[in-house]
Amino acid sequence: EIRMKLRAEKAAKLKALEDKKARERAKRIAETEGSKATVKSYPPAEFIRSSLEKFYSQNCPEKLGNLDKIMEKFTGKWGKLEAGLRKTYKDKAPDFCKLYAASK
């Protein structure tokens, strides 16, 4: 029960951090590129986590133990995560935005 509370707290902190980092990144891009800057809007961290968990369970189960570290490392940098997955897994890599749009 305590572990579940800690996980919920950690998930809430990750979500808040993701939102803050995304806003800061969008602001920096807009400042450097002017008003033509477009920022890709990624799905919520919970969706990315579940998508990544499903992907790793099918393609690389040994990485499931590192899921928390991966989420922490790439929070707010989902494009970097996708690029790394594409580099390693090619066409098998998930596109979080497309998956999220298809889930609605």
Side-chain angles (χ1 to χ4, degrees):
E1 193 174 326
I2 293 173
R3 285 185 181 174
M4 289 178 69
K5 286 182 183 179
L6 290 174
R7 280 190 183 187
E9 288 174 9
K10 188 172 185 176
K13 286 180 184 177
L14 281 174
K15 173 79 173 116
L17 183 61
E18 170 197 336
D19 292 343
K20 181 180 178 185
K21 285 183 176 181
R23 283 192 305 272
E24 289 172 355
R25 187 170 292 110
K27 184 178 177 183
R28 282 195 308 273
I29 290 171
E31 288 171 354
T32 58
E33 295 182 10
S35 62
K36 293 182 180 179
T38 57
V39 177
K40 189 173 181 180
S41 179
Y42 282 92
E46 297 83 19
F47 180 84
I48 290 176
R49 181 186 177 81
S50 66
S51 300
L52 202 54
E53 188 172 7
K54 182 177 178 182
F55 173 76
Y56 279 142
S57 67
Q58 294 171 352
N59 295 284
C60 193
E62 59 272 12
K63 290 201 176 183
L64 285 172
N66 295 332
L67 199 53
D68 287 334
K69 288 182 183 179
I70 293 168
M71 289 298 294
E72 193 172 320
K73 179 178 179 178
F74 289 100
T75 294
K77 299 180 262 184
W78 305 124
K80 256 187 177 177
L81 175 59
E82 280 183 330
L85 291 170
R86 275 193 304 275
K87 184 176 180 182
T88 304
Y89 298 99
K90 310 287 185 245
D91 294 337
K92 291 182 182 180
D95 181 323
F96 300 123
C97 294
K98 284 183 182 177
L99 290 171
Y100 189 64
S103 73
K104 290 192 165 209

